[in-house]
Amino acid sequence: HSAGSGKSNSIAWTAYRLASLHNDDNEPVFTSVVIVTDRRNLDAQLQETITGFDHTIGSVCAIDEKKSSKDLKDALNAGKRIIVTTLQKFPVIYEEVDDTTDKRFAIIVDEAHSSQTGSSAMKLKAALADVSDALKEYAELEGKAEDELLDDNDRLVREMIAHGRHKNLSFFAFNDGSYHPFHVYSMRQAIEEGFILDVLQNYTTYRTCYQIAKNTKDNPDVPQSKALKTIKKYEELHPYNIQQKSAIIVETFRNVTKQKIKGKGKMMVVTSSRLAAVRYYHEIKNYLELNGDQKDVEWTESKLNGVNESQTKQVFHDEGNILIVAEKYQTGFDEPLLHTMIVDKKLRGVKAVQTLSRLNRTHPDKQDT
């Protein structure tokens, strides 16, 4: 699934379809459907999408940062129809889940390339696996009686349960291509069909931008905007100075971003750390105070924003212009009005795709990024 092409919807549809499946005796095929994400803060967009569906098949239980591992344990033991949780909550409860004999779980994994590795994933299997079924399977493999294996239950059985396949666990994953998916909706196809925008169409490095700025005198077709003049000055002064970078950010917003999406264009600044994000915040604020237009203040965390952390997304949509981030909003953040991204950190692999894809959401008035 390409970022921005509706993965949250696909996960939600899959969860509701699995939760409503019944066998010939009209019994639910799965006791519970468990949606697992490896992000420590449960993906708000995913949670909203799932809870926003029609609840005709029963309750949806979201185990977010406000809830504990005990809440997850209670939800599993109570047989809640759909449970949304983070992978990190499983290690705390894997020894406390009640008897799972005759219980069947459908596990939908977001970001399968990272979620199914490490001890957390092993303990997820241990928490949900049908012990009696697994013991029988292992006894046959070892050529021993089941009661012989129970003597060493603490270590051997737990390790055995955490590995291999289990009849009562069905995994459905959205992965990175390490396995062979039965269906692929590629970024190329999504762009061609108009579901997302091509974010690389107007991508440029600051060095390329500087070359354009430097050559504007020789090229009358390139306008001498304040943004280009600022970029030229920045390169000549100090390429690592956050104060100079902040000037470029503000002038790019004024000259480019603010003119887009019928004046509703927004910008994201991707920084390398929380410290860098705070420094950018103050430098941009100082630049705005010295150059007027204070209403262009960006929104970051609650202490700087003056709003609760859970409100940041909505406040940025309603009032914000520039969002300065450090890791947190590089994935799972859906804002169609986001037009411009300034990246001041190294991005590689999946993280590069996920980060740049924040820009690819379509809007009726959005022509490019």
Side-chain angles (χ1 to χ4, degrees):
H1 233 291
S2 59
S5 62
K7 185 173 70 170
S8 293
N9 280 329
S10 291
I11 290 173
W13 288 328
T14 304
Y16 273 85
R17 186 73 185 95
L18 293 171
S20 62
L21 280 178
H22 285 68
N23 61 20
D24 293 339
D25 297 321
N26 203 30
E27 298 167 334
V29 172
F30 296 107
T31 310
S32 297
V33 177
V34 185
I35 300 169
V36 183
T37 175
D38 69 342
R39 297 177 192 136
R40 291 189 178 274
N41 290 321
L42 191 61
D43 186 331
Q45 182 190 341
L46 178 60
Q47 186 177 332
E48 287 170 15
T49 303
I50 293 159
T51 54
F53 272 58
D54 182 12
H55 295 178
T56 53
I57 54 91
S59 59
V60 175
C61 183
I63 310 296
D64 56 21
E65 63 272 13
K66 297 171 189 171
K67 294 184 180 178
S68 66
S69 295
K70 182 182 181 299
D71 294 309
L72 173 59
K73 182 186 80 168
D74 293 342
L76 287 166
N77 290 334
K80 293 288 184 182
R81 302 298 291 124
I82 297 178
I83 301 167
V84 192
T85 185
T86 57
L87 182 65
Q88 286 75 18
K89 284 196 166 68
F90 268 92
V92 184
I93 59 105
Y94 80 103
E95 291 180 337
E96 301 176 43
V97 175
D98 292 347
D99 184 11
T100 56
T101 304
D102 297 328
K103 289 185 178 180
R104 293 167 303 280
F105 299 94
I107 303 163
I108 301 176
V109 186
D110 185 15
E111 309 287 355
H113 49 282
S114 53
S115 294
Q116 287 309 289
T117 56
S119 60
S120 292
M122 286 172 60
K123 287 168 183 175
L124 181 152
K125 292 181 182 179
L128 301 180
D130 184 331
V131 178
S132 60
D133 186 55
L135 266 175
K136 184 179 179 182
E137 178 188 338
Y138 192 69
E140 288 173 359
L141 286 171
E142 292 294 302
K144 294 181 180 180
E146 289 176 41
D147 54 1
E148 287 182 65
L149 296 172
L150 286 170
D151 293 337
D152 198 14
N153 185 66
D154 216 23
R155 181 184 62 82
L156 180 67
V157 176
R158 283 296 173 190
E159 283 298 304
M160 171 271 299
I161 289 171
H163 291 82
R165 298 185 179 189
H166 305 288
K167 292 177 184 177
N168 73 323
L169 300 184
S170 298
F171 283 85
F172 303 85
F174 293 78
N175 64 50
D176 67 344
S178 300
Y179 299 93
H180 296 287
F182 73 91
H183 175 73
V184 173
Y185 190 58
S186 68
M187 192 162 281
R188 180 190 294 274
Q189 185 180 348
I191 290 169
E192 288 173 353
E193 294 179 356
F195 282 102
I196 58 175
L197 295 173
D198 181 358
V199 298
L200 295 181
Q201 193 171 25
N202 294 313
Y203 169 81
T204 185
T205 66
Y206 82 87
R207 290 204 175 276
T208 302
C209 215
Y210 168 65
Q211 291 300 324
I212 293 170
K214 191 174 73 170
N215 296 329
T216 49
K217 289 179 182 177
D218 305 323
N219 188 350
D221 294 329
V222 180
Q224 278 273 26
S225 69
K226 191 172 181 181
L228 280 178
K229 289 177 183 174
T230 308
I231 288 168
K232 186 177 178 181
K233 182 181 175 186
Y234 154 74
E235 180 69 23
E236 290 167 351
L237 285 175
H238 200 312
Y240 304 105
N241 190 318
I242 285 184
Q243 187 178 37
Q244 295 296 317
K245 291 178 182 178
S246 298
I248 293 172
I249 288 166
V250 174
E251 295 306 333
T252 301
F253 175 80
R254 286 172 172 166
N255 285 276
V256 180
T257 314
K258 202 172 182 179
Q259 316 304 320
K260 299 291 184 174
I261 320 180
K262 291 189 176 178
K264 295 177 285 190
K266 297 177 183 291
M267 173 187 282
M268 177 183 280
V269 180
V270 179
T271 69
S272 58
S273 67
R274 283 179 290 180
L275 177 60
V278 173
R279 283 178 173 169
Y280 265 114
Y281 171 87
H282 290 299
E283 288 298 344
I284 289 174
K285 195 170 182 180
N286 289 340
Y287 185 86
L288 289 168
E289 287 172 352
L290 291 171
N291 293 272
D293 210 9
Q294 182 60 44
K295 67 183 179 188
D296 287 350
V297 170
E298 74 297 333
W299 301 89
T300 53
E301 289 289 359
S302 55
K303 200 168 183 180
L304 296 172
N305 295 336
V307 297
N308 188 283
E309 190 178 316
S310 62
Q311 298 174 291
T312 301
K313 180 180 173 182
Q314 190 61 47
V315 170
F316 177 62
H317 175 78
D318 294 340
E319 307 171 27
N321 288 320
I322 302 173
L323 180 69
I324 302 174
V325 305
E327 197 70 34
K328 188 174 179 182
Y329 287 90
Q330 286 177 235
T331 58
F333 178 60
D334 191 6
E335 175 51 77
L337 296 177
L338 200 60
H339 175 275
T340 306
M341 181 178 287
I342 307 281
V343 183
D344 191 22
K345 70 178 293 187
K346 289 183 178 179
L347 297 171
R348 295 183 183 88
V350 173
K351 182 55 70 70
V353 175
Q354 288 177 325
T355 302
L356 298 181
S357 291
R358 296 312 100 208
L359 291 180
N360 71 16
R361 274 48 172 178
T362 57
H363 184 278
D365 301 320
K366 189 173 175 182
Q367 307 302 320
D368 54 21
T369 64

PDB file of all heavy atoms in Angstrom, residues 284-315:
ATOM      1  N   ILE A 284      12.258  31.262  13.991  1.00  0.00           N
ATOM      2  CA  ILE A 284      11.180  31.670  13.084  1.00  0.00           C
ATOM      3  C   ILE A 284      10.332  32.755  13.739  1.00  0.00           C
ATOM      4  O   ILE A 284       9.958  33.748  13.107  1.00  0.00           O
ATOM      5  CB  ILE A 284      10.320  30.453  12.671  1.00  0.00           C
ATOM      6  CG1 ILE A 284      11.124  29.544  11.735  1.00  0.00           C
ATOM      7  CG2 ILE A 284       9.023  30.892  11.998  1.00  0.00           C
ATOM      8  CD1 ILE A 284      10.434  28.241  11.382  1.00  0.00           C
ATOM      9  N   LYS A 285      10.070  32.585  15.029  1.00  0.00           N
ATOM     10  CA  LYS A 285       9.278  33.581  15.758  1.00  0.00           C
ATOM     11  C   LYS A 285      10.009  34.925  15.781  1.00  0.00           C
ATOM     12  O   LYS A 285       9.405  35.986  15.556  1.00  0.00           O
ATOM     13  CB  LYS A 285       9.037  33.075  17.186  1.00  0.00           C
ATOM     14  CG  LYS A 285       7.939  33.821  17.919  1.00  0.00           C
ATOM     15  CD  LYS A 285       7.594  33.119  19.220  1.00  0.00           C
ATOM     16  CE  LYS A 285       6.462  33.844  19.931  1.00  0.00           C
ATOM     17  NZ  LYS A 285       6.104  33.193  21.192  1.00  0.00           N
ATOM     18  N   ASN A 286      11.325  34.885  16.027  1.00  0.00           N
ATOM     19  CA  ASN A 286      12.119  36.121  16.040  1.00  0.00           C
ATOM     20  C   ASN A 286      12.109  36.797  14.676  1.00  0.00           C
ATOM     21  O   ASN A 286      11.978  38.023  14.574  1.00  0.00           O
ATOM     22  CB  ASN A 286      13.573  35.812  16.446  1.00  0.00           C
ATOM     23  CG  ASN A 286      13.690  35.448  17.906  1.00  0.00           C
ATOM     24  OD1 ASN A 286      12.811  35.771  18.707  1.00  0.00           O
ATOM     25  ND2 ASN A 286      14.757  34.757  18.267  1.00  0.00           N
ATOM     26  N   TYR A 287      12.233  36.003  13.627  1.00  0.00           N
ATOM     27  CA  TYR A 287      12.247  36.562  12.269  1.00  0.00           C
ATOM     28  C   TYR A 287      10.919  37.229  11.948  1.00  0.00           C
ATOM     29  O   TYR A 287      10.863  38.300  11.348  1.00  0.00           O
ATOM     30  CB  TYR A 287      12.548  35.463  11.246  1.00  0.00           C
ATOM     31  CG  TYR A 287      12.710  35.988   9.831  1.00  0.00           C
ATOM     32  CD1 TYR A 287      13.937  36.467   9.380  1.00  0.00           C
ATOM     33  CD2 TYR A 287      11.627  36.026   8.951  1.00  0.00           C
ATOM     34  CE1 TYR A 287      14.092  36.962   8.088  1.00  0.00           C
ATOM     35  CE2 TYR A 287      11.762  36.517   7.658  1.00  0.00           C
ATOM     36  CZ  TYR A 287      12.993  36.986   7.237  1.00  0.00           C
ATOM     37  OH  TYR A 287      13.141  37.490   5.968  1.00  0.00           O
ATOM     38  N   LEU A 288       9.828  36.578  12.356  1.00  0.00           N
ATOM     39  CA  LEU A 288       8.502  37.140  12.107  1.00  0.00           C
ATOM     40  C   LEU A 288       8.290  38.444  12.864  1.00  0.00           C
ATOM     41  O   LEU A 288       7.696  39.396  12.354  1.00  0.00           O
ATOM     42  CB  LEU A 288       7.422  36.127  12.496  1.00  0.00           C
ATOM     43  CG  LEU A 288       7.287  34.913  11.577  1.00  0.00           C
ATOM     44  CD1 LEU A 288       6.410  33.853  12.217  1.00  0.00           C
ATOM     45  CD2 LEU A 288       6.704  35.320  10.237  1.00  0.00           C
ATOM     46  N   GLU A 289       8.803  38.506  14.096  1.00  0.00           N
ATOM     47  CA  GLU A 289       8.666  39.724  14.892  1.00  0.00           C
ATOM     48  C   GLU A 289       9.450  40.880  14.281  1.00  0.00           C
ATOM     49  O   GLU A 289       9.008  42.025  14.284  1.00  0.00           O
ATOM     50  CB  GLU A 289       9.132  39.465  16.324  1.00  0.00           C
ATOM     51  CG  GLU A 289       8.152  38.606  17.115  1.00  0.00           C
ATOM     52  CD  GLU A 289       8.691  38.182  18.467  1.00  0.00           C
ATOM     53  OE1 GLU A 289       9.901  38.430  18.726  1.00  0.00           O
ATOM     54  OE2 GLU A 289       7.931  37.598  19.251  1.00  0.00           O
ATOM     55  N   LEU A 290      10.615  40.559  13.710  1.00  0.00           N
ATOM     56  CA  LEU A 290      11.457  41.593  13.098  1.00  0.00           C
ATOM     57  C   LEU A 290      10.936  42.008  11.724  1.00  0.00           C
ATOM     58  O   LEU A 290      11.185  43.114  11.268  1.00  0.00           O
ATOM     59  CB  LEU A 290      12.901  41.078  12.962  1.00  0.00           C
ATOM     60  CG  LEU A 290      13.668  40.901  14.277  1.00  0.00           C
ATOM     61  CD1 LEU A 290      14.973  40.183  14.015  1.00  0.00           C
ATOM     62  CD2 LEU A 290      13.928  42.251  14.941  1.00  0.00           C
ATOM     63  N   ASN A 291      10.203  41.082  11.076  1.00  0.00           N
ATOM     64  CA  ASN A 291       9.753  41.348   9.720  1.00  0.00           C
ATOM     65  C   ASN A 291       8.231  41.394   9.589  1.00  0.00           C
ATOM     66  O   ASN A 291       7.690  41.221   8.500  1.00  0.00           O
ATOM     67  CB  ASN A 291      10.307  40.271   8.771  1.00  0.00           C
ATOM     68  CG  ASN A 291      11.810  40.367   8.649  1.00  0.00           C
ATOM     69  OD1 ASN A 291      12.330  41.085   7.811  1.00  0.00           O
ATOM     70  ND2 ASN A 291      12.520  39.638   9.508  1.00  0.00           N
ATOM     71  N   GLY A 292       7.532  41.601  10.708  1.00  0.00           N
ATOM     72  CA  GLY A 292       6.081  41.720  10.668  1.00  0.00           C
ATOM     73  C   GLY A 292       5.393  40.388  10.441  1.00  0.00           C
ATOM     74  O   GLY A 292       6.002  39.328  10.481  1.00  0.00           O
ATOM     75  N   ASP A 293       4.052  40.461  10.269  1.00  0.00           N
ATOM     76  CA  ASP A 293       3.249  39.282   9.943  1.00  0.00           C
ATOM     77  C   ASP A 293       3.345  38.202  11.008  1.00  0.00           C
ATOM     78  O   ASP A 293       3.540  37.038  10.731  1.00  0.00           O
ATOM     79  CB  ASP A 293       3.691  38.704   8.593  1.00  0.00           C
ATOM     80  CG  ASP A 293       2.533  38.019   7.878  1.00  0.00           C
ATOM     81  OD1 ASP A 293       1.399  38.162   8.361  1.00  0.00           O
ATOM     82  OD2 ASP A 293       2.766  37.362   6.859  1.00  0.00           O
ATOM     83  N   GLN A 294       3.182  38.607  12.273  1.00  0.00           N
ATOM     84  CA  GLN A 294       3.303  37.678  13.387  1.00  0.00           C
ATOM     85  C   GLN A 294       2.263  36.561  13.342  1.00  0.00           C
ATOM     86  O   GLN A 294       2.440  35.518  13.956  1.00  0.00           O
ATOM     87  CB  GLN A 294       3.182  38.450  14.713  1.00  0.00           C
ATOM     88  CG  GLN A 294       3.334  37.586  15.965  1.00  0.00           C
ATOM     89  CD  GLN A 294       4.663  36.900  16.037  1.00  0.00           C
ATOM     90  OE1 GLN A 294       5.691  37.491  15.780  1.00  0.00           O
ATOM     91  NE2 GLN A 294       4.670  35.625  16.385  1.00  0.00           N
ATOM     92  N   LYS A 295       1.182  36.737  12.603  1.00  0.00           N
ATOM     93  CA  LYS A 295       0.142  35.703  12.553  1.00  0.00           C
ATOM     94  C   LYS A 295       0.633  34.407  11.913  1.00  0.00           C
ATOM     95  O   LYS A 295      -0.017  33.384  11.991  1.00  0.00           O
ATOM     96  CB  LYS A 295      -1.079  36.212  11.781  1.00  0.00           C
ATOM     97  CG  LYS A 295      -0.824  36.447  10.295  1.00  0.00           C
ATOM     98  CD  LYS A 295      -2.043  37.012   9.604  1.00  0.00           C
ATOM     99  CE  LYS A 295      -1.753  37.253   8.122  1.00  0.00           C
ATOM    100  NZ  LYS A 295      -2.823  37.960   7.444  1.00  0.00           N
ATOM    101  N   ASP A 296       1.803  34.439  11.278  1.00  0.00           N
ATOM    102  CA  ASP A 296       2.345  33.234  10.634  1.00  0.00           C
ATOM    103  C   ASP A 296       3.037  32.292  11.619  1.00  0.00           C
ATOM    104  O   ASP A 296       3.771  31.419  11.223  1.00  0.00           O
ATOM    105  CB  ASP A 296       3.362  33.629   9.547  1.00  0.00           C
ATOM    106  CG  ASP A 296       2.667  34.211   8.328  1.00  0.00           C
ATOM    107  OD1 ASP A 296       1.428  34.137   8.251  1.00  0.00           O
ATOM    108  OD2 ASP A 296       3.370  34.738   7.479  1.00  0.00           O
ATOM    109  N   VAL A 297       2.807  32.475  12.921  1.00  0.00           N
ATOM    110  CA  VAL A 297       3.454  31.614  13.912  1.00  0.00           C
ATOM    111  C   VAL A 297       3.058  30.159  13.698  1.00  0.00           C
ATOM    112  O   VAL A 297       1.903  29.845  13.448  1.00  0.00           O
ATOM    113  CB  VAL A 297       3.052  32.067  15.341  1.00  0.00           C
ATOM    114  CG1 VAL A 297       3.513  31.041  16.376  1.00  0.00           C
ATOM    115  CG2 VAL A 297       3.691  33.418  15.654  1.00  0.00           C
ATOM    116  N   GLU A 298       4.016  29.261  13.782  1.00  0.00           N
ATOM    117  CA  GLU A 298       3.789  27.835  13.596  1.00  0.00           C
ATOM    118  C   GLU A 298       3.336  27.193  14.909  1.00  0.00           C
ATOM    119  O   GLU A 298       3.391  27.800  15.966  1.00  0.00           O
ATOM    120  CB  GLU A 298       5.081  27.165  13.108  1.00  0.00           C
ATOM    121  CG  GLU A 298       6.165  26.998  14.152  1.00  0.00           C
ATOM    122  CD  GLU A 298       6.687  28.314  14.682  1.00  0.00           C
ATOM    123  OE1 GLU A 298       6.632  29.324  13.989  1.00  0.00           O
ATOM    124  OE2 GLU A 298       7.147  28.310  15.836  1.00  0.00           O
ATOM    125  N   TRP A 299       2.930  25.931  14.835  1.00  0.00           N
ATOM    126  CA  TRP A 299       2.444  25.207  16.017  1.00  0.00           C
ATOM    127  C   TRP A 299       3.282  23.953  16.226  1.00  0.00           C
ATOM    128  O   TRP A 299       3.456  23.174  15.313  1.00  0.00           O
ATOM    129  CB  TRP A 299       0.976  24.828  15.821  1.00  0.00           C
ATOM    130  CG  TRP A 299       0.130  26.025  15.605  1.00  0.00           C
ATOM    131  CD1 TRP A 299      -0.157  26.620  14.410  1.00  0.00           C
ATOM    132  CD2 TRP A 299      -0.510  26.817  16.602  1.00  0.00           C
ATOM    133  NE1 TRP A 299      -0.939  27.720  14.610  1.00  0.00           N
ATOM    134  CE2 TRP A 299      -1.177  27.871  15.938  1.00  0.00           C
ATOM    135  CE3 TRP A 299      -0.590  26.742  17.994  1.00  0.00           C
ATOM    136  CZ2 TRP A 299      -1.907  28.832  16.619  1.00  0.00           C
ATOM    137  CZ3 TRP A 299      -1.328  27.706  18.667  1.00  0.00           C
ATOM    138  CH2 TRP A 299      -1.972  28.737  17.993  1.00  0.00           C
ATOM    139  N   THR A 300       3.787  23.789  17.445  1.00  0.00           N
ATOM    140  CA  THR A 300       4.546  22.570  17.755  1.00  0.00           C
ATOM    141  C   THR A 300       3.893  21.876  18.945  1.00  0.00           C
ATOM    142  O   THR A 300       2.693  21.677  18.943  1.00  0.00           O
ATOM    143  CB  THR A 300       6.028  22.918  18.016  1.00  0.00           C
ATOM    144  OG1 THR A 300       6.094  23.941  19.015  1.00  0.00           O
ATOM    145  CG2 THR A 300       6.700  23.391  16.733  1.00  0.00           C
ATOM    146  N   GLU A 301       4.641  21.564  19.992  1.00  0.00           N
ATOM    147  CA  GLU A 301       4.044  20.853  21.109  1.00  0.00           C
ATOM    148  C   GLU A 301       3.280  21.783  22.055  1.00  0.00           C
ATOM    149  O   GLU A 301       3.352  23.016  21.959  1.00  0.00           O
ATOM    150  CB  GLU A 301       5.128  20.080  21.885  1.00  0.00           C
ATOM    151  CG  GLU A 301       5.665  18.886  21.141  1.00  0.00           C
ATOM    152  CD  GLU A 301       4.665  17.735  21.047  1.00  0.00           C
ATOM    153  OE1 GLU A 301       3.543  17.845  21.574  1.00  0.00           O
ATOM    154  OE2 GLU A 301       5.019  16.711  20.436  1.00  0.00           O
ATOM    155  N   SER A 302       2.535  21.161  22.999  1.00  0.00           N
ATOM    156  CA  SER A 302       1.581  21.890  23.826  1.00  0.00           C
ATOM    157  C   SER A 302       2.175  23.054  24.609  1.00  0.00           C
ATOM    158  O   SER A 302       1.559  24.107  24.742  1.00  0.00           O
ATOM    159  CB  SER A 302       0.895  20.924  24.802  1.00  0.00           C
ATOM    160  OG  SER A 302       1.867  20.227  25.556  1.00  0.00           O
ATOM    161  N   LYS A 303       3.403  22.909  25.092  1.00  0.00           N
ATOM    162  CA  LYS A 303       3.992  23.981  25.901  1.00  0.00           C
ATOM    163  C   LYS A 303       4.220  25.240  25.065  1.00  0.00           C
ATOM    164  O   LYS A 303       4.046  26.354  25.539  1.00  0.00           O
ATOM    165  CB  LYS A 303       5.325  23.501  26.498  1.00  0.00           C
ATOM    166  CG  LYS A 303       5.765  24.311  27.707  1.00  0.00           C
ATOM    167  CD  LYS A 303       6.905  23.605  28.422  1.00  0.00           C
ATOM    168  CE  LYS A 303       7.286  24.375  29.680  1.00  0.00           C
ATOM    169  NZ  LYS A 303       8.380  23.716  30.394  1.00  0.00           N
ATOM    170  N   LEU A 304       4.612  25.066  23.811  1.00  0.00           N
ATOM    171  CA  LEU A 304       4.841  26.200  22.923  1.00  0.00           C
ATOM    172  C   LEU A 304       3.542  26.660  22.259  1.00  0.00           C
ATOM    173  O   LEU A 304       3.349  27.845  22.010  1.00  0.00           O
ATOM    174  CB  LEU A 304       5.858  25.809  21.836  1.00  0.00           C
ATOM    175  CG  LEU A 304       7.262  25.460  22.328  1.00  0.00           C
ATOM    176  CD1 LEU A 304       8.095  24.910  21.182  1.00  0.00           C
ATOM    177  CD2 LEU A 304       7.944  26.669  22.932  1.00  0.00           C
ATOM    178  N   ASN A 305       2.651  25.703  22.006  1.00  0.00           N
ATOM    179  CA  ASN A 305       1.418  26.017  21.287  1.00  0.00           C
ATOM    180  C   ASN A 305       0.354  26.677  22.144  1.00  0.00           C
ATOM    181  O   ASN A 305      -0.486  27.424  21.655  1.00  0.00           O
ATOM    182  CB  ASN A 305       0.802  24.749  20.694  1.00  0.00           C
ATOM    183  CG  ASN A 305       1.684  24.129  19.641  1.00  0.00           C
ATOM    184  OD1 ASN A 305       2.487  24.796  19.040  1.00  0.00           O
ATOM    185  ND2 ASN A 305       1.527  22.837  19.438  1.00  0.00           N
ATOM    186  N   GLY A 306       0.368  26.318  23.443  1.00  0.00           N
ATOM    187  CA  GLY A 306      -0.703  26.792  24.303  1.00  0.00           C
ATOM    188  C   GLY A 306      -1.969  25.970  24.140  1.00  0.00           C
ATOM    189  O   GLY A 306      -3.045  26.371  24.576  1.00  0.00           O
ATOM    190  N   VAL A 307      -1.859  24.796  23.484  1.00  0.00           N
ATOM    191  CA  VAL A 307      -3.000  23.888  23.352  1.00  0.00           C
ATOM    192  C   VAL A 307      -2.558  22.487  23.728  1.00  0.00           C
ATOM    193  O   VAL A 307      -1.370  22.174  23.728  1.00  0.00           O
ATOM    194  CB  VAL A 307      -3.553  23.870  21.904  1.00  0.00           C
ATOM    195  CG1 VAL A 307      -4.086  25.232  21.519  1.00  0.00           C
ATOM    196  CG2 VAL A 307      -2.501  23.399  20.906  1.00  0.00           C
ATOM    197  N   ASN A 308      -3.532  21.650  24.063  1.00  0.00           N
ATOM    198  CA  ASN A 308      -3.245  20.269  24.405  1.00  0.00           C
ATOM    199  C   ASN A 308      -2.638  19.553  23.206  1.00  0.00           C
ATOM    200  O   ASN A 308      -2.989  19.815  22.060  1.00  0.00           O
ATOM    201  CB  ASN A 308      -4.547  19.579  24.837  1.00  0.00           C
ATOM    202  CG  ASN A 308      -4.301  18.194  25.398  1.00  0.00           C
ATOM    203  OD1 ASN A 308      -4.061  17.253  24.656  1.00  0.00           O
ATOM    204  ND2 ASN A 308      -4.359  18.081  26.703  1.00  0.00           N
ATOM    205  N   GLU A 309      -1.729  18.607  23.476  1.00  0.00           N
ATOM    206  CA  GLU A 309      -1.040  17.868  22.414  1.00  0.00           C
ATOM    207  C   GLU A 309      -2.005  17.204  21.442  1.00  0.00           C
ATOM    208  O   GLU A 309      -1.777  17.170  20.229  1.00  0.00           O
ATOM    209  CB  GLU A 309      -0.149  16.799  23.059  1.00  0.00           C
ATOM    210  CG  GLU A 309       0.796  16.122  22.116  1.00  0.00           C
ATOM    211  CD  GLU A 309       1.681  15.121  22.844  1.00  0.00           C
ATOM    212  OE1 GLU A 309       2.185  15.444  23.930  1.00  0.00           O
ATOM    213  OE2 GLU A 309       1.844  14.014  22.310  1.00  0.00           O
ATOM    214  N   SER A 310      -3.132  16.701  21.977  1.00  0.00           N
ATOM    215  CA  SER A 310      -4.109  16.027  21.121  1.00  0.00           C
ATOM    216  C   SER A 310      -4.826  16.993  20.181  1.00  0.00           C
ATOM    217  O   SER A 310      -5.457  16.578  19.210  1.00  0.00           O
ATOM    218  CB  SER A 310      -5.152  15.298  21.986  1.00  0.00           C
ATOM    219  OG  SER A 310      -5.860  16.231  22.781  1.00  0.00           O
ATOM    220  N   GLN A 311      -4.723  18.298  20.468  1.00  0.00           N
ATOM    221  CA  GLN A 311      -5.392  19.305  19.641  1.00  0.00           C
ATOM    222  C   GLN A 311      -4.491  19.868  18.538  1.00  0.00           C
ATOM    223  O   GLN A 311      -4.956  20.619  17.678  1.00  0.00           O
ATOM    224  CB  GLN A 311      -5.872  20.467  20.516  1.00  0.00           C
ATOM    225  CG  GLN A 311      -6.909  20.074  21.569  1.00  0.00           C
ATOM    226  CD  GLN A 311      -7.215  21.238  22.493  1.00  0.00           C
ATOM    227  OE1 GLN A 311      -6.372  21.651  23.283  1.00  0.00           O
ATOM    228  NE2 GLN A 311      -8.404  21.778  22.375  1.00  0.00           N
ATOM    229  N   THR A 312      -3.211  19.528  18.558  1.00  0.00           N
ATOM    230  CA  THR A 312      -2.251  20.119  17.620  1.00  0.00           C
ATOM    231  C   THR A 312      -2.694  19.974  16.174  1.00  0.00           C
ATOM    232  O   THR A 312      -2.672  20.936  15.405  1.00  0.00           O
ATOM    233  CB  THR A 312      -0.858  19.477  17.803  1.00  0.00           C
ATOM    234  OG1 THR A 312      -0.416  19.685  19.140  1.00  0.00           O
ATOM    235  CG2 THR A 312       0.155  20.094  16.848  1.00  0.00           C
ATOM    236  N   LYS A 313      -3.099  18.770  15.797  1.00  0.00           N
ATOM    237  CA  LYS A 313      -3.487  18.501  14.409  1.00  0.00           C
ATOM    238  C   LYS A 313      -4.629  19.415  13.964  1.00  0.00           C
ATOM    239  O   LYS A 313      -4.581  20.011  12.888  1.00  0.00           O
ATOM    240  CB  LYS A 313      -3.882  17.028  14.278  1.00  0.00           C
ATOM    241  CG  LYS A 313      -4.309  16.609  12.886  1.00  0.00           C
ATOM    242  CD  LYS A 313      -4.685  15.140  12.874  1.00  0.00           C
ATOM    243  CE  LYS A 313      -5.287  14.727  11.544  1.00  0.00           C
ATOM    244  NZ  LYS A 313      -5.705  13.312  11.540  1.00  0.00           N
ATOM    245  N   GLN A 314      -5.665  19.530  14.817  1.00  0.00           N
ATOM    246  CA  GLN A 314      -6.831  20.338  14.457  1.00  0.00           C
ATOM    247  C   GLN A 314      -6.500  21.825  14.445  1.00  0.00           C
ATOM    248  O   GLN A 314      -6.938  22.564  13.556  1.00  0.00           O
ATOM    249  CB  GLN A 314      -7.986  20.069  15.438  1.00  0.00           C
ATOM    250  CG  GLN A 314      -9.312  20.684  15.002  1.00  0.00           C
ATOM    251  CD  GLN A 314      -9.800  20.153  13.663  1.00  0.00           C
ATOM    252  OE1 GLN A 314      -9.802  18.953  13.417  1.00  0.00           O
ATOM    253  NE2 GLN A 314     -10.200  21.053  12.775  1.00  0.00           N
ATOM    254  N   VAL A 315      -5.693  22.274  15.418  1.00  0.00           N
ATOM    255  CA  VAL A 315      -5.319  23.688  15.492  1.00  0.00           C
ATOM    256  C   VAL A 315      -4.479  24.072  14.274  1.00  0.00           C
ATOM    257  O   VAL A 315      -4.653  25.148  13.692  1.00  0.00           O
ATOM    258  CB  VAL A 315      -4.547  23.992  16.802  1.00  0.00           C
ATOM    259  CG1 VAL A 315      -3.942  25.390  16.778  1.00  0.00           C
ATOM    260  CG2 VAL A 315      -5.481  23.856  18.000  1.00  0.00           C
TER     261      VAL A 315
END
